[in-house]
Every structure is written in C-alpha cells, then in structure tokens.
C-alpha cells in the first residue's frame, strides 16, 4: 500500500474532523485574501480620487524679499528681481522627463477689473486644463466653449445679481455667462473665470500668467522628482508641491496596509493553531494504527510523511477555498461597506499565493504532530490493542 493511499483512507474515515480544519483554513485564508484585496482596491480608489482632486504643484514667479528701512523706520518687505511667468513656461512643463505623470497643466492670470462700478477679481484660464485641475466644480449651467463665454463664482453671482444666461461686459467686450460655479469655500467663489487670452488683453498683459497649477499626483508618481525636473526647465520660477495632499495619501495608504497585514498575521496564527491541535488529536487517536504500521515495517520517516501529507492536502484545499471565498467577499463588501467606486478585481495570482501560504502553514503546523507520531514506540502503541 502506498503512503498516499493510507493518507486518503485516513481523510475519508475522519472527514468530519478534517472538514473542520478545511473550514478553519478557508476562513483564515479568506479573511487574509479579502483584507489584501480590499486594501489594494482602497489604495487604488483613494489614489484615483486624489488624482481628480486637483493641483498638487504650484508654480509661481521666483523673487527675493528685501527688508526696506529708512531712518530707522521699518517699511516692511519689498519684492525685487521678480520675473513674471509666460505662457510658454506652461508648455515647458510638458517637456520634463516625467511628463507622462502629469495629467493637467493650467496656466492662470489673476487681476481685477471694474464691473458695474464694483471691483471684481478676474481670472484668466484655459478651460480644458482648468476643468482638469478643478474637477470638483459643480457648475449650474455648463463650462465655457468659446472665448466669449465665462463662468462666475457663487459670491459674484450674488453681488452682481447674475445667473447663467445673463450678459457681462469686461472692458468693452460683451460676454455671455454660461455657468455659475457652486460654492467651494475658496477664492473661486469671488472670481470671474474667462478665457486666458481675453483676460491678458483686458489687463494689458499679453502672454503673461500669474501662476501655473500642475496636477501630477498619481499612483507611483515620484512627486519630488517631478518638482526638481520642473525647477530645471523653469529656473526663474518657484515650484512648490502641496505636501498636504501627498502626506494625506501616504498616511491613509500606510494605515490601511498596516491594519490589513496585522489582522492577517493574527488570523493566520489562529489557523495554524487549529491545524496543529487537530493533527495532534488525530495522532493521539491513531496510536494503535501507527503501532501496527511500525510493526509491519514502516519507518519513522514514513509515519511522519503520512501525517504531513494529510496536513498538506487539507491545507491546499483550505487555501483554494479561502481564496475563492475571500475574493467573493472582497467584491461584495467593497461596494457595500467600503463604498468603492469600482468592483474589487479578482486576482488569480492571489490564488497561487494563498495556496502556497496555506500549504506552508499546514506543513509547519503539522511538523510537531508528525514528529510525535514518528517517535511513538511500536511496542507501547500495540499495548492499546
């Protein structure tokens, strides 16, 4: 009789006990697979949301501040050696080595104009790029499509008594309001957004821009490298990453990953304990059987291999079932509990990892019971007959 035949017969005779081990491993491995799958999906979802959040690099003119004082009287700081940014500087950002990581570059010109005897903030923008940066905008109406169309902030709409569909004059140019930006709690509420070229003409600053917003926060983006590369192509500009967004992303991802792996370790240890306890019980119950096998010529190594083979079979089955249960569970709870925007993908590679981990866990847990079985004295075991 072959060793695997003895193993198979033992599993069939004690199917209830080993079914318990399979279920325990399935729950343990399934929990680990579900946590890892959810953690990865949440990382991806958070990264996608932060990618859509807006600019995380701001480029402004580089300047020096000089303390000005006359006759012992401090007159405050004065900006000197400031060089304004130009529209071609925004195009230069797209030439850096990591340009594939940049999703939007929005040049902006900021100034003030008199409208209906009220001083208003005027912002010139390239709307396709601006909307890529400010994807959170809720516009009552629509975004501008031509240079003669503008959108206004919620506070401007209240001050001027304007809404989508009304007219507006900047300088001597009649414009059409096509949308009102919902309240954002930022400077956008107090601004009029118009075509960049039109604003440059209205302010008498052709080709000039006040700042450049860059959206480059994406999964795997080397944010510090991007900042350094922009600094090389724009040596006259100050490039500042918005570190809060980067830090928040990294902290959230780190906390989720730590939690998932900490719980996974605990669950796997519990699973290993269940396997070891069950195998020890099996060895104790089979004392007579082991004595007979030793008496008919089976060596200690053969006895140990039988016990380990049983643990391996049970662990592999538990690992495969655990992967399936964990993947399905992550897919279901991803939308119900974590409220992910997209379903958790089923990763076939995790099936291999889950099976290998479960097998290793089973073999490690079965090592002591196997060694104990191999050390049984056949003479002592046969006394129980």
């Amino acid at each position: 009789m072959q060793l695997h035949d003895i193993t198979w017969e033992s599993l069939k005779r004690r199917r209830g006990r080993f079914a318990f081990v399979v279920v325990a491993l399935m729950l343990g491995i399934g929990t680990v697979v579900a946590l890892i799958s959810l953690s990865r999906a949440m990382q991806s979802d958070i990264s996608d949301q932060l990618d859509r959040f807006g600019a995380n690099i701001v480029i402004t003119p580089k300047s020096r501040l000089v303390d000005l004082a006359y006759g012992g009287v401090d007159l405050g700081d004065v900006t000197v050696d400031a060089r304004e940014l130009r529209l071609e500087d925004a195009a230069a950002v797209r030439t850096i080595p990591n340009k594939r990581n940049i999703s939007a570059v929005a040049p902006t010109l900021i100034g003030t104009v008199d409208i209906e005897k009220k001083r208003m903030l005027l912002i010139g923008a390239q709307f396709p790029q601006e909307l890529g940066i400010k994807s959170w905008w809720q516009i009552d109406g629509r975004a501008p499509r031509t240079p003669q169309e503008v959108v206004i902030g919620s506070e401007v709409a209240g001050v001027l008594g304007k809404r989508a569909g009304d007219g507006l004059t900047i300088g001597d140019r009649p414009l059409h309001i096509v949308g009102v930006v919902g309240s954002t709690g930022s400077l956008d509420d107090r601004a009029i957004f118009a075509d960049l070229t039109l604003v440059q003409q209205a302010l008498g600053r052709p080709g000039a821009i006040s700042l450049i917003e860059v959206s480059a926060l994406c999964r795997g983006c080397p944010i510090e490298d991007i900042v350094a590369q922009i600094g090389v192509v724009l040596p006259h500009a100050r490039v500042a990453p918005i570190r809060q967004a980067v830090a928040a992303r990294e902290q959230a991802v780190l906390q989720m990953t730590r939690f998932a792996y900490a719980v996974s370790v605990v669950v796997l240890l519990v699973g290993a304990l269940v396997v070891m306890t069950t195998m020890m019980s099996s060895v104790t119950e089979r004392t007579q059987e082991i004595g007979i096998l030793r008496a008919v010529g089976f060596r200690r190594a053969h006895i140990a291999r039988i016990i380990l083979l049983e643990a391996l079979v049970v662990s592999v089955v538990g690992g495969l079932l655990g992967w399936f249960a964990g993947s399905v569970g992550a897919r279901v709870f991803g939308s119900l509990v974590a409220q992910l925007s997209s379903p958790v993908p089923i990763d076939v590679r995790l099936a291999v990892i889950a099976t290998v981990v479960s097998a290793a866990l089973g073999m490690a847990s079965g090592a002591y019971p196997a060694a104990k079985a191999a050390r049984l004295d056949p003479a002592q075991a046969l006394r129980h007959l």
Side-chain angles (χ1 to χ4, degrees):
M1 180 178 289
Q2 300 294 323
L3 295 181
H4 60 80
D5 294 327
I6 298 175
T7 298
W8 180 245
E9 289 299 324
S10 175
L11 291 173
K12 287 196 298 183
R13 287 198 310 270
R14 301 170 178 83
R15 61 173 64 94
R17 174 174 295 170
F18 288 111
F20 171 74
V21 177
V22 169
V23 171
L25 284 172
M26 181 185 72
L27 293 176
I29 296 297
T31 301
V32 173
V33 170
L35 286 173
I36 292 176
S37 299
L38 281 173
S39 177
R40 290 179 178 177
M42 291 175 71
Q43 289 177 30
S44 176
D45 194 66
I46 288 175
S47 297
D48 288 339
Q49 290 178 13
L50 287 173
D51 283 346
R52 297 191 295 268
F53 184 74
N56 45 75
I57 298 176
V58 177
I59 305 171
T60 53
K62 184 182 291 185
S63 60
R64 291 190 299 115
L65 292 177
V66 177
D67 254 345
L68 189 62
Y70 281 103
V73 178
D74 188 4
L75 301 180
D77 295 333
V78 176
T79 301
V80 297
D81 295 339
R83 173 184 165 183
E84 69 178 10
L85 296 174
R86 309 292 296 177
L87 193 56
E88 48 268 25
D89 292 331
V93 175
R94 293 283 190 181
T95 66
I96 66 172
N98 280 95
K99 59 185 177 183
R100 66 185 181 280
N101 295 129
I102 294 178
S103 57
V105 178
T108 302
L109 178 61
I110 303 175
T112 58
V113 292
D114 288 321
I115 298 178
E116 299 181 4
K117 299 182 180 180
K118 296 180 178 67
R119 200 68 176 171
M120 292 291 170
L121 183 67
L122 181 62
I123 297 179
Q126 295 177 337
F127 282 102
Q129 298 296 326
E130 190 73 13
L131 293 173
I133 292 287
K134 298 177 179 177
S135 57
W136 65 85
W137 270 6
Q138 298 293 324
I139 301 178
D140 180 14
R142 61 173 176 84
R145 298 171 184 165
T146 68
Q148 287 73 42
E149 296 177 340
V150 300
V151 294
I152 60 177
S154 57
E155 291 188 20
V156 173
V159 171
L160 297 179
K162 301 287 187 180
R163 60 182 181 179
D166 292 343
L168 187 71
T169 301
I170 296 179
D172 58 353
R173 306 195 75 171
L175 303 173
H176 183 59
I177 300 173
V178 295
V180 177
V181 179
S183 179
T184 63
S186 67
L187 187 68
D188 297 350
D189 296 342
R190 303 186 293 277
I192 299 170
F193 291 84
D195 177 72
L196 177 60
T197 303
L198 183 148
V199 173
Q200 288 172 337
Q201 295 172 355
L203 298 178
R205 300 177 61 187
I209 53 178
S210 303
L211 57 89
I212 303 170
E213 295 175 287
V214 179
S215 179
L217 184 57
C218 51
R219 290 185 300 277
C221 285
I223 195 74
E224 295 296 340
D225 290 345
I226 293 174
V227 169
Q229 292 168 12
I230 295 176
V232 171
V233 298
L234 300 178
H236 56 282
R238 179 176 177 270
V239 186
I242 302 177
R243 297 181 182 273
Q244 293 90 336
V246 181
R249 172 182 181 270
E250 292 177 346
Q251 186 64 24
V253 170
L254 182 61
Q255 288 179 351
M256 285 187 300
T257 303
R258 284 178 175 174
F259 173 77
Y261 284 108
V263 173
S264 299
V265 169
V266 174
V267 170
L268 289 177
L269 288 176
V270 172
L273 184 61
V274 169
V275 174
M276 179 180 292
T277 303
T278 304
M279 297 307 296
M280 285 292 295
S281 176
S282 176
V283 169
T284 302
E285 181 184 305
R286 296 162 64 185
T287 300
Q288 296 178 7
E289 177 186 337
I290 294 171
I292 293 173
L293 291 176
R294 289 297 310 279
V296 298
F298 279 76
R299 298 178 180 176
R300 290 184 174 181
H302 294 150
I303 301 300
R305 286 170 60 184
I306 291 172
I307 302 300
L308 289 175
L309 189 55
E310 291 177 6
L312 178 62
V313 172
V314 171
S315 300
V316 169
V317 174
L320 287 172
L321 292 176
W323 166 78
F324 179 76
S327 298
V328 173
R331 198 171 182 86
V332 172
F333 289 106
S335 57
L336 294 179
V337 179
Q339 298 181 340
L340 299 178
S341 57
S342 58
V344 178
I346 294 179
D347 191 351
V348 180
R349 293 173 298 179
L350 274 179
V352 178
I353 297 174
T355 304
V356 171
V357 170
S358 182
L361 190 69
M363 296 292 284
S365 302
Y368 178 71
K372 182 179 179 181
R375 289 197 302 265
L376 280 176
D377 185 353
Q380 293 292 332
L382 290 175
R383 288 180 182 177
H384 295 277
L385 288 175

